[in-house]
Amino acid sequence: TISSSAGLNGGIDPEGDTDVEFNTELTFDFIADEGYHVDSIFVDDEYVGNANSYIFENIYGDHSIFVTFTINIYMVTATAGANGTIEPSGEILLEHGESQDVIITANEGYHIVDVLLDGEISLGAITEYSFDEINSNHTLAATFAINQYILEVAVIGNGSVEASPEQQTYSHGTDVELTAIPNAHWAFSGWSGDISDTENPVSVLMESEKSIIATFYQLFPVFSSAKSVINFDTVMLGAT
């Protein structure tokens, strides 16, 4: 006779007392509940390992068999590229059916490019992801890129503005030098918009989109009766 039994979260087949003939064999199958697996097999009170079945061969006496089960443990591997973080990060161990929230944050001046699930599923530029009732291993990887900004420069009056460096967009933290260049008989008045200054040239730190206006005013001729010559004085347009 072979007496078989199982612990919690699974079963054994056949179960109970089974009579067998001398010098025959009998196979016992172990059936774990969902989210569990075989932990230990004991034959005649001795540990014999773990597997999904066990075979008694050349049976010539009574035996006992007992099997235990344990919950599945899964691993979530969360990684962040340069210039950002993911929390929690590294190897996160979770029991079957547990849930875990993951937070993705870009460093200042950077943004999330993409979050990749299991190496192939693009989740987009998300800031949070939830593993709900987990039942397998997963990976989650976030990538980041530096912000790019547009610098718009407008002119009031007659003149131009040169930017150094001159680019379509500027990376976060770039210093741009703006130089106002008045046309003939015009003078530079000052900067307005996202900066307010009269320095020329002026330095602009690109930490966001910028819109800047350079204002020029016209110089009017002043007649000198004593010398009968014409000079240009710094008189603003509309002044008397």
Side-chain angles (χ1 to χ4, degrees):
T1 299
I2 298 179
S3 298
S4 62
S5 58
L8 298 174
N9 304 305
I12 187 170
D13 183 30
E15 184 176 11
D17 293 337
T18 304
D19 293 329
V20 295
E21 294 181 1
F22 179 78
N23 199 31
T24 57
E25 68 178 34
L26 181 61
T27 300
F28 287 85
D29 294 318
F30 313 125
I31 306 96
D33 292 346
E34 182 181 358
Y36 290 80
H37 63 275
V38 174
D39 182 46
S40 300
I41 305 168
F42 298 91
V43 173
D44 299 332
D45 296 326
E46 291 188 5
Y47 176 75
V48 295
N50 56 8
N52 291 324
S53 63
Y54 183 85
I55 302 175
F56 285 95
E57 297 177 330
N58 303 320
I59 299 169
Y60 56 86
D62 294 334
H63 294 284
S64 66
I65 182 169
F66 175 67
V67 60
T68 62
F69 302 88
T70 189
I71 196 166
N72 294 346
I73 302 295
Y74 306 111
M75 181 182 295
V76 171
T77 304
T79 57
N83 304 305
T85 60
I86 190 168
E87 292 293 338
S89 63
E91 297 177 346
I92 308 157
L93 298 179
L94 300 170
E95 291 186 352
H96 177 87
E98 283 190 320
S99 298
Q100 177 70 56
D101 291 335
V102 179
I103 306 299
I104 303 102
T105 307
N107 290 351
E108 183 180 359
Y110 290 79
H111 61 277
I112 300 167
V113 175
D114 193 17
V115 178
L116 203 61
L117 176 65
D118 297 334
E120 58 183 7
I121 303 172
S122 173
L123 302 176
I126 60 173
T127 58
E128 181 176 355
Y129 184 78
S130 295
F131 292 96
D132 295 324
E133 299 181 355
I134 192 167
N135 58 12
S136 62
N137 296 326
H138 292 285
T139 62
L140 195 69
T143 54
F144 308 89
I146 196 166
N147 293 346
Q148 298 289 327
Y149 308 118
I150 295 174
L151 173 60
E152 293 183 345
V153 179
V155 170
I156 296 176
N158 286 345
S160 60
V161 175
E162 289 185 354
S164 178
E166 185 175 0
Q167 300 170 186
Q168 294 292 323
T169 61
Y170 295 93
S171 297
H172 179 90
T174 300
D175 275 312
V176 183
E177 184 179 79
L178 297 181
T179 303
I181 304 171
N183 290 352
H185 310 312
W186 287 74
F188 174 67
S189 175
W191 307 99
S192 58
D194 287 324
I195 60 170
S196 180
D197 207 327
T198 56
E199 293 292 324
N200 189 32
V202 69
S203 181
V204 180
L205 180 61
M206 296 300 294
E207 295 178 316
S208 62
E209 304 280 343
K210 300 288 186 181
S211 179
I212 295 171
I213 301 170
T215 300
F216 300 90
Y217 63 90
Q218 189 173 8
L219 303 177
F220 280 86
V222 176
F223 292 92
S224 173
S225 58
K227 298 182 179 180
S228 299
V229 295
I230 300 175
N231 296 315
F232 283 88
D233 200 359
T234 56
V235 179
M236 290 189 65
L237 184 64
T240 57

